[in-house]
Amino acid sequence: MKEHYLLNQIVRSLLAGQLKAAADPHRPRWHLAAPVGLLNDPNGFIEHDGRYHLFYQWNPLGCEHSNKGWGHVTSTDLLHWQHEPVALLPTEAYESHGCYSGSAVSDEQGRLTLVYTGNVKYPDGSRTAFQCLARADGEGGFDKLGPVLDLPQGYSGHVRDPKVWHDGQQWLMVLGARTLDDKGEVLLYRGDALDAWTLVGPIAGSGHGGLGDFGYMWECPDLFPLGERHLLICCPQGIASVGEYYRNLYQCGWLAGQFDGEQFEHGAFHELDRGFEFYAPQTTQDSQGRRLLFGWLGLPEENEMSQPTIPYGWIHQMSCPRELFWQDDWLCQRPVAELAALKGEQTRFEGTLREFPGLAIDSAWLDLALCGEGSLWFGAVAELVWQPGRITLRRQNWQSGVWEDRSTPWLGGKITVLCDSSSLECFVDQGRQSLSARYFPGEKPQLSSGNGDDGCKICLDHWPLAA
Ligand code: FRU
């Protein structure tokens, strides 16, 4: 499609839609969301020349999964984001059905370079994919350099989401893939340059590394060192739920192991977030050496088209910025330290659940020390339930009205809940588990006491958050 045509449509969409989106009571107060339209995966997360850059999958023209390009925002504190010119729009034949997800690197000359998937669909329902480059033009935009990789032999048209890094000697790339016989895999490529790649082979996937049958497609892989080990984060599709595990339509999880530049020996798959909406996260290492992560608080194809924000012309938001750390043999997450700067005046409540007077949670940070059994209500549509050894997040599904739950083991440690107008992110046991969810409680939701032992004592610290 012609670029000037798309740009004109985007200007119209922004002019007509921005005020309406901003007027939505469920619009995030401090999380990132697209000004209008649909946002999905975080892309190209990097600290470059002293600024954090975050790109995101964006349909600026509507709330459906089409017209995908890359929106672009920058920040110095991971909290206050400045809009930049739209980075990528699907204008070329090799990306006719979307500039799909990918990553950003500083190239050999220190230029910000995007590596993304050009997605192409054919009228017969088939598709192909190209991995493509675009380089910062020095004026806030990006020049497309075209495809540098097409499909490998033996794979379907579902090969996408390049995550690229330099290991000190060479470029490396992982790609999500679906084989011709419907097995999900992560492919590793090695590059002498950003436009010269050689396939090394699959490093993980269904049927590899003791995983057995593990899905027909793996999306959005990310491989990185953390302390002494390597982590592979990936999003397998096509896994049936087993008890309290894998209850969402698609999964997002991690494998820990050792990567030697060619092969990845790893242990079991663990979910990265045990809540309802969390998908396609991307990490980067910043100049302080932290491994930072943003995730999409959404899931493709699940509960999407009934979201109450659609009448306001926007849908979906990012997670809060999180820092990953490894502790007691487990991948843990905490909100980045910068978030403390949003905290207002602290209120502490200590007493029994019965005595809890209630607090505003449309934008709040909660630290909870809990014991016995009990629950707290978040507005009238979500409930956090604790019992020895277990934390459960319940919510009323906005589409079906049915109550549904997600739960996780609990060692009895502190729980932090970050609340925004339409999202909850719970960090259990100092971040050993997280449970994230969108919810639509209406205006001015209150935290209030739920069921529990009469003697159940809680200690609750509350801070309003203001961006
Ligand atoms: C994950 C995903 C990616 C793809 C992008 C398209 O949510 O399906 O695999 O690149 O979204 O928007």
Side-chain angles (χ1 to χ4, degrees), residues 60-241:
L61 304 183
C63 292
E64 316 79 40
H65 285 274
S66 45
N67 311 305
K68 293 288 177 72
W70 283 32
H72 181 196
V73 288
T74 63
S75 170
T76 52
D77 64 2
L78 297 163
L79 304 174
H80 301 92
W81 294 94
Q82 177 180 308
H83 288 288
E84 303 291 346
V86 57
L88 298 173
L89 290 172
T91 55
E92 308 301 317
Y94 57 80
E95 55 188 16
S96 57
H97 291 73
C99 302
Y100 273 15
S101 287
S103 51
V105 293
S106 301
D107 76 358
E108 288 90 345
Q109 281 82 49
R111 296 171 296 191
L112 184 58
T113 305
L114 311 182
V115 193
Y116 67 99
T117 301
N119 185 46
V120 177
K121 292 185 186 167
Y122 298 112
D124 66 359
S126 65
R127 64 161 87 193
T128 191
F130 301 94
Q131 313 315 320
C132 308
L133 296 182
R135 188 188 295 138
D137 65 7
E139 290 169 3
F142 287 82
D143 291 327
K144 288 179 184 163
L145 306 180
V148 291
L149 254 189
D150 51 18
L151 291 182
Q153 284 259 316
Y155 288 83
S156 71
H158 293 270
V159 176
R160 57 177 172 262
D161 309 336
K163 179 78 197 292
V164 174
W165 71 101
H166 199 268
D167 72 356
Q169 278 154 359
Q170 60 189 344
W171 293 103
L172 291 164
M173 175 197 289
V174 281
L175 275 175
R178 176 176 184 160
T179 63
L180 285 173
D181 56 352
D182 296 327
K183 290 194 171 49
E185 286 183 351
V186 173
L187 294 177
L188 176 72
Y189 283 78
R190 177 184 298 140
D192 295 327
L194 284 170
D195 59 0
W197 296 98
T198 311
L199 177 63
V200 180
I203 54 159
S206 187
H208 296 264
L211 283 184
D213 188 0
F214 217 74
Y216 58 80
M217 169 69 190
W218 284 26
E219 296 188 309
C220 299
D222 192 350
L223 178 64
F224 54 89
L226 193 68
E228 320 252 278
R229 63 200 55 66
H230 288 87
L231 268 303
L232 176 67
I233 290 181
C234 49
C235 296
Q237 301 185 317
I239 298 176
S241 56

